[in-house]
Amino acid sequence: MASSIPHIQACRMYWTVHLEGGPRRVNHAAVVVLDKIYSFGGYCTGENYQRKRPMDVHILNTGNYRWHALPTPEYNDVTKTTVPYQRYGHTAVEHEQKIYIWGGRNDEAACNRLFCFNPDTLTWSSPKVSGMIPAARDGHSACVINNQMFVFGGFEEQMDRFSQDVYALDLRTMVWRYIITQGDPPSYRDFHSANAIDDRMYIFGGRGDVYGPYHSQEELYSNSIMYLDTATGVWHQPRTTGDIPLGRRSHSAFVYKNSLYVFGGYNGLCDEHFNDLYQFSPVTNTWTLMQTLGKPPSRRRRQSCLVVGDRVFLFGGTSPYQGQMSYQVIEDLYNEGIDSKLMDHNDMHILDFAPSLRTLCAMIVINNQLDYSSLPEELRWELRVMVTPNSISRPLNNTG
């Protein structure tokens, strides 16, 4: 049971940069290669996701915080191309500086074809795979351990059910295999998270159902954390202490210095979005509610969080709409099939685990709107990129 008084940990973690104007994407997949972040697909409310069109790719330079979109190729027959179609609920992993996209769906069907993106050439391929290929699905998870991409859970398109199975793709031989595990696995679920720490795959959160694999609208949100020892194939459920998070789905989970962190997400039973940050220690099996400095992101779900050095880059997702809208705007959104209660984000936040004195001084200058025109050009450039919005997408104009 979670304690009634949270262990709020004082620390130097600081939300620093917040920029608008990036790709407005929800339920996308993103990965880090060297010092760049690559974001693939996802959706934006109101767009057409029935027809098949090439997946969009956005690249973030983490040095100057600038996004740019790759040109989208044109094609007619998606069954003959090596470019994946636009989708959501898919996964992206990095292995030997190449990116592998698997699963996901558009509004018509899910996919189980493997795609590979080469950041050096900015080109796609579709590697030939063999073995026991998992059924098409979305809302699954994937992580790489010892040259293998482990896939867990998700919602299977053909069987119309949640999954609790584990598959592994050997990224050297491109052979899929079904993993026979021992012990009680995590319950059937989708939109959970999976993270690799050493040889373990940690599973947290997600949406399940009281009827197990079948979707009856009676949802479950587990807050238990479990891990698969990939060396032995045995599932474990450690006994945890501390500030155990409320169950949630569509959250972000990332690993920093061998600790697992969980940000945000959504619980449908209480209809609540989150912007809290928890740390889980795999050594002590303790959860800790983290206290951060600076202004945190708004409550949201289906965003991405990527670790680059000592910083976490968070972008995209969707939140309850906070502003005021005129009747005409609400009517226009309704006519377009858009839920006016939610808004899709195009912003980016950076959480710095170890901010330097230089960064802290820059935050003072920015937050107090101090004149920095007399500073050296290098410092002025740094301050400019920290406050200059991107121009990939336009701001929402929902006010009446």
Side-chain angles (χ1 to χ4, degrees):
M1 296 292 292
S3 60
S4 58
I5 301 177
H7 298 72
I8 299 178
Q9 178 171 314
C11 60
R12 293 196 310 137
M13 294 160 47
Y14 202 123
W15 290 102
T16 56
V17 176
H18 176 210
L19 297 177
E20 300 281 347
R24 194 181 302 280
R25 282 289 174 261
V26 177
N27 220 353
H28 44 295
V31 71
V32 177
V33 179
L34 300 177
D35 61 347
K36 290 185 173 61
I37 291 175
Y38 297 80
S39 180
F40 300 90
Y43 69 84
C44 183
T45 304
E47 293 183 356
N48 184 342
Y49 292 95
Q50 292 184 329
R51 66 183 181 89
K52 288 184 170 69
R53 63 182 188 276
M55 177 180 284
D56 57 26
V57 181
H58 294 91
I59 303 174
L60 175 69
N61 183 325
T62 61
N64 61 15
Y65 314 135
R66 299 303 99 186
W67 285 100
H68 76 273
L70 293 186
T72 304
E74 295 184 359
Y75 61 83
N76 297 318
D77 189 347
V78 295
T79 64
K80 297 180 180 179
T81 182
T82 58
V83 180
Y85 62 79
Q86 184 75 350
R87 64 192 64 194
Y88 48 87
H90 50 295
T91 52
V93 301
E94 181 271 340
H95 180 255
E96 296 182 347
Q97 297 184 21
K98 290 186 178 180
I99 301 168
Y100 294 91
I101 304 291
W102 192 81
R105 61 173 300 124
N106 63 5
D107 287 348
E108 292 185 336
C111 178
N112 67 343
R113 184 178 173 188
L114 182 70
F115 294 91
C116 177
F117 182 81
N118 188 329
D120 290 333
T121 61
L122 304 180
T123 57
W124 287 99
S125 62
S126 182
K128 184 178 180 180
V129 299
S130 61
M132 190 171 291
I133 302 172
R137 68 193 65 202
D138 74 307
H140 57 286
S141 60
C143 62
V144 175
I145 301 174
N146 295 328
N147 299 305
Q148 297 185 88
M149 180 178 75
F150 285 85
V151 170
F152 172 78
F155 194 82
E156 298 181 20
E157 166 78 10
Q158 186 174 8
M159 299 297 293
D160 194 29
R161 67 168 198 166
F162 295 104
S163 172
Q164 62 176 178
D165 295 331
V166 181
Y167 290 84
L169 172 66
D170 190 318
L171 295 170
R172 299 161 300 182
T173 64
M174 292 298 162
V175 176
W176 282 100
R177 62 191 177 101
Y178 176 78
I179 305 298
I180 300 175
T181 62
Q182 301 177 29
D184 293 330
S187 58
Y188 298 89
R189 66 186 67 190
D190 64 0
F191 294 107
H192 53 283
S193 59
N195 296 89
I197 301 180
D198 298 325
D199 289 341
R200 298 176 177 179
M201 176 174 66
Y202 280 86
I203 303 294
F204 176 76
R207 173 186 60 178
D209 195 281
V210 296
Y211 292 100
Y214 303 107
H215 203 336
S216 70
Q217 304 300 325
E218 294 188 47
E219 296 180 342
L220 292 176
Y221 290 85
S222 173
N223 66 347
S224 298
I225 191 165
M226 299 185 65
Y227 70 85
L228 177 69
D229 186 332
T230 59
T232 63
V234 177
W235 282 107
H236 299 267
Q237 182 174 344
R239 182 177 179 181
T240 59
T241 59
D243 313 309
I244 301 174
L246 191 66
R248 60 195 66 197
R249 66 174 170 93
S250 304
H251 53 284
S252 294
F254 56 90
V255 176
Y256 176 74
K257 293 188 175 180
N258 286 325
S259 286
L260 178 68
Y261 291 83
V262 171
F263 174 86
Y266 174 73
N267 184 301
L269 298 181
C270 58
D271 191 22
E272 184 175 359
H273 289 75
F274 305 102
N275 67 342
D276 45 16
L277 179 68
Y278 287 87
Q279 178 198 55
F280 176 76
S281 169
V283 176
T284 62
N285 294 323
T286 302
W287 285 100
T288 304
L289 177 62
M290 307 301 289
Q291 184 180 38
T292 59
L293 302 173
K295 185 178 179 180
S298 60
R299 297 170 180 263
R300 65 184 68 193
R301 57 176 155 163
R302 295 176 173 173
Q303 67 283 335
S304 290
C305 284
L306 286 304
V307 178
V308 181
D310 291 321
R311 298 179 298 171
V312 179
F313 289 76
L314 180 153
F315 57 94
T318 189
S319 292
Y321 187 77
Q322 301 295 327
Q324 296 181 345
M325 291 185 289
S326 68
Y327 175 80
Q328 183 61 52
V329 169
I330 294 176
E331 185 178 32
D332 291 343
L333 292 174
Y334 177 80
N335 291 335
E336 294 178 22
I338 300 175
D339 186 349
S340 62
K341 296 179 182 179
L342 295 174
M343 63 173 293
D344 301 339
H345 292 289
N346 69 351
D347 62 351
M348 178 188 70
H349 295 258
I350 297 178
L351 177 64
D352 198 328
F353 274 87
S356 64
L357 179 60
R358 183 169 179 150
T359 297
L360 296 174
C361 290
M363 296 308 302
I364 292 175
V365 171
I366 292 170
N367 292 337
N368 292 278
Q369 298 182 337
L370 301 178
D371 179 19
Y372 56 85
S373 59
S374 61
L375 294 177
E377 171 56 27
E378 180 183 357
L379 296 178
R380 287 182 307 193
W381 178 86
E382 290 184 16
L383 289 164
R384 284 197 300 270
V385 299
M386 291 175 71
V387 299
T388 303
N390 277 276
S391 57
I392 292 290
S393 61
R394 297 178 179 178
L396 289 175
N397 183 18
N398 289 339
T399 56

